[in-house]
Amino acid sequence: MLLVPPDKTPVNDMPGATPGSPTVVASTFARHNKLWFEDGNVIICGKATVADDPPLGFRVHKSLLASQSFAWLDALTPSEHSDSRVIAAHRGVPVIHLDDDVASLEHLLTLLYSQTYLPSTRLAPWTETCDHIAGILRIATKYEMPLLCTEIVRILERDWPTTLDEWDDNERILQRRISQKSRDPTKKRFDKAQLDDIGPEPARIIALALECNVRSILPAAFYHLKRIYQHPKPPIGVPGPQHRTFVPDCLPAEALHALLLGRESIACFVTQSRFNVNMTHSTCCAEVVQQWWTDIAT
């Protein structure tokens, strides 16, 4: 990528600068090859993924981001109270360094400029969820973009629903995928270690939901995590297990505590249901289970 050194234009001489704005500081960044518009009036740089690499700069339009939320307007206005932001300049255009992940910024800006729908595959594995929507949700939450957050939550709730009927629908979809993979004529046999590449992984979804306050998907995600809790993902280089796995290291202590309480609650519910005469009829059973699921969700 092209490395762009700063010029020496003071920030308080730039459009949109406020009285008391800091003077320019030296900064070098790599120019993004697509998200760089010559008529853009602000350059934002995301945090480099590799320590020694220069940050990646996006020359964009302040009005586009400011129209999404007041938080963006504040973040892109040069100020002496910049906190984690580092103000620099390039040919008179403010260069603002944010502490946000550069890949997440790139995904968000691409979405805003392309005006496309969020890419999402139903019951996608974490690698796809991470690439397509997780980073955007973090940025949208931080900069208070409610419409975008609502759209992403709708996608997550489709995979981690709040009703048993929707959950059962998802289970059937996953079973069909597994069946199709096992009959793939190009493979001699289906390795069950590939199950993690067929459907979503609950632990990292829980961590994302807690970080971005998406409470509605937690019951389903915790329920699925309970089912595979005894199978953590093995270290790199160790042969894969023959069942679904999860990544335990991403969960905070309070999530693990909630998981243990949930397992106990499920065990008590199952034990009590065996002695409840109202559970003998399938319709009653479904209603009671649905009510229990709803109680957990709230």
Side-chain angles (χ1 to χ4, degrees):
M1 292 185 179
L2 175 64
L3 291 181
V4 181
D7 61 19
K8 298 301 181 181
T9 305
V11 174
N12 50 14
D13 288 343
M14 300 176 196
T18 59
S21 295
T23 57
V24 67
V25 297
S27 175
T28 300
F29 57 89
R31 187 172 128 172
H32 194 277
N33 58 357
K34 290 184 178 180
L35 294 167
W36 185 273
F37 304 95
E38 292 301 329
D39 62 339
N41 55 358
V42 68
I43 299 170
I44 57 176
C45 294
K47 185 170 57 178
T49 54
V50 180
D52 296 333
D53 286 352
L56 186 61
F58 309 90
R59 185 168 178 173
V60 293
H61 302 88
K62 182 178 177 179
S63 58
L64 175 65
L65 289 168
S67 68
Q68 302 297 314
S69 73
F70 289 112
W72 269 116
L73 178 62
D74 179 65
L76 300 180
T77 301
S79 168
E80 60 181 343
H81 306 295
S82 57
D83 299 327
S84 61
R85 289 171 281 155
V86 179
I87 311 300
H90 171 68
R91 298 180 180 177
V93 179
V95 179
I96 301 181
H97 291 252
L98 304 174
D99 60 0
D100 301 300
D101 174 67
V102 66
S104 299
L105 277 175
E106 182 178 20
H107 291 147
L108 173 66
L109 293 171
T110 299
L111 177 67
L112 293 179
Y113 273 97
S114 63
Q115 293 293 309
T116 57
Y117 292 104
L118 281 164
S120 64
T121 302
R122 187 170 185 179
L123 299 171
W126 171 254
T127 51
E128 185 174 328
T129 301
C130 179
D131 289 342
H132 289 171
I133 62 174
I136 297 178
L137 177 60
R138 292 187 179 99
I139 297 287
T141 301
K142 176 180 177 180
Y143 292 101
E144 302 172 7
M145 305 169 71
L147 294 179
L148 185 53
C149 286
T150 298
E151 179 64 18
I152 295 175
V153 169
R154 183 191 63 80
I155 293 173
L156 293 175
E157 287 178 343
R158 180 190 60 191
D159 290 352
W160 305 96
T162 57
T163 69
L164 283 173
D165 288 340
E166 292 172 311
W167 177 267
D168 289 340
D169 288 341
N170 286 350
E171 289 282 277
R172 284 188 283 269
I173 292 173
L174 288 175
Q175 289 301 321
R176 284 197 296 269
R177 288 184 187 175
I178 294 172
S179 177
Q180 291 169 359
K181 287 282 187 179
S182 63
R183 296 197 302 266
D184 189 344
T186 64
K187 297 181 179 180
K188 294 182 179 180
R189 70 182 185 87
F190 174 65
D191 184 357
K192 290 185 179 180
Q194 298 170 344
L195 287 174
D196 289 339
D197 298 326
I198 293 178
E201 190 271 313
R204 283 178 286 200
I205 285 292
I206 290 172
L208 177 67
L210 293 174
E211 179 183 354
C212 299
N213 195 32
V214 186
R215 314 294 299 184
S216 58
I217 67 174
L218 288 175
F222 269 113
Y223 172 70
H224 185 45
L225 180 57
K226 177 264 174 189
R227 300 198 302 175
I228 62 175
Y229 178 67
Q230 64 271 30
H231 305 309
K233 187 177 287 292
I236 297 176
V238 177
Q242 297 300 302
H243 36 62
R244 292 290 300 277
T245 64
F246 74 101
V247 180
D249 296 342
C250 68
L251 289 173
E254 57 267 28
L256 292 173
H257 183 249
L259 172 64
L260 295 177
L261 292 178
R263 294 179 71 194
E264 182 67 20
S265 174
I266 291 175
C268 291
F269 176 80
V270 172
T271 301
Q272 294 172 1
S273 67
R274 292 175 179 174
F275 302 98
N276 189 335
V277 294
N278 292 327
M279 303 288 283
T280 56
H281 191 279
S282 59
T283 302
C284 293
C285 179
E287 292 175 352
V288 173
V289 173
Q290 180 62 61
Q291 183 60 48
W292 171 78
W293 181 282
T294 303
D295 291 342
I296 289 181
T298 56

